[in-house]
């Protein structure tokens, strides 16, 4: 079998495996975070979480597929390792950037929710007071 094909197969297996692992980790931990952000609305948290995971899969697997092809033919075992290290390193960086982007967006949503909760008075108004007469 051609070494280039071997490198492609290894690249796809590792990249898809890493993408699935990161997506499941984000999904499991993001569900709890979203439930807190959305004030305990579990159905909405599950829906938003699912949409985020689908988007994560689409972007990362699309990148993995686009980054699959290489310009050079791999002729030796050293070339396999060099090609894999470059390709997998870039995929890991993209996964990390996507993870940080997800955390950033969720943190912004959480911060906005906390600010909205602070703006609500703790006790609703109970009456009306006439303005005082000033001299």
């Amino acid at each position: 079998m051609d070494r280039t094909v071997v490198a492609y197969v290894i690249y796809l297996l590792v990249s898809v495996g890493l993408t699935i692992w990161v997506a499941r980790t984000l999904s499991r931990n993001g569900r709890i975070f979203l439930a807190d952000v959305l004030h305990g609305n579990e159905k909405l948290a599950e829906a938003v979480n699912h949409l985020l995971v689908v988007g994560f899969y689409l972007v990362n697997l699309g990148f993995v597929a686009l980054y699959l092809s290489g310009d050079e033919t791999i002729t030796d075992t050293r070339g396999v390792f060099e090609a894999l290290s470059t390709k997998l390193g870039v995929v890991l960086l993209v996964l990390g950037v996507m993870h940080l982007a997800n955390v950033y967006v969720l943190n912004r949503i959480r911060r906005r929710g906390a600010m909205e909760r602070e703006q609500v008075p703790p006790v609703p108004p109970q009456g009306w007071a006439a303005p005082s007469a000033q001299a």
Side-chain angles (χ1 to χ4, degrees):
M1 185 183 289
D2 185 15
R3 285 189 172 100
T4 305
V5 174
V6 171
Y8 286 169
V9 169
I10 294 170
Y11 165 74
L12 283 174
L13 289 174
V14 173
S15 296
V16 170
L18 284 170
T19 300
I20 291 170
W21 175 71
V22 171
R24 285 186 178 176
T25 301
L26 290 173
S27 174
R28 183 175 47 252
N29 297 316
R31 183 179 302 121
I32 297 165
F33 184 79
L34 283 170
D36 178 51
V37 168
L38 299 171
H39 311 294
N41 188 342
E42 293 289 332
K43 288 183 85 168
L44 182 59
E46 187 65 34
V48 170
N49 190 37
H50 185 71
L51 290 172
L52 287 171
V53 169
V54 169
F56 184 83
Y57 275 127
L58 290 172
V59 169
N60 283 298
L61 293 177
F63 176 77
V64 165
L66 285 173
Y67 201 60
L68 175 64
S69 65
D71 295 337
E72 72 278 347
T73 302
I74 299 172
T75 57
D76 57 355
T77 306
R78 178 181 174 186
V80 170
F81 283 104
E82 288 175 355
L84 283 175
S85 68
T86 302
K87 288 185 177 295
L88 291 175
V90 171
V91 167
L92 287 170
L93 288 172
V94 169
L95 284 171
V97 167
M98 288 295 296
H99 170 67
L100 290 176
N102 276 338
V103 170
Y104 176 77
V105 168
L106 291 174
N107 191 36
R108 296 275 304 193
I109 292 170
R110 185 176 189 201
R111 191 176 313 157
R112 181 178 295 157
M115 287 175 50
E116 288 174 1
R117 280 183 286 216
E118 290 176 4
Q119 293 177 355
V120 176
V123 177
Q126 299 174 359
W128 183 79
S132 61
Q134 295 185 359

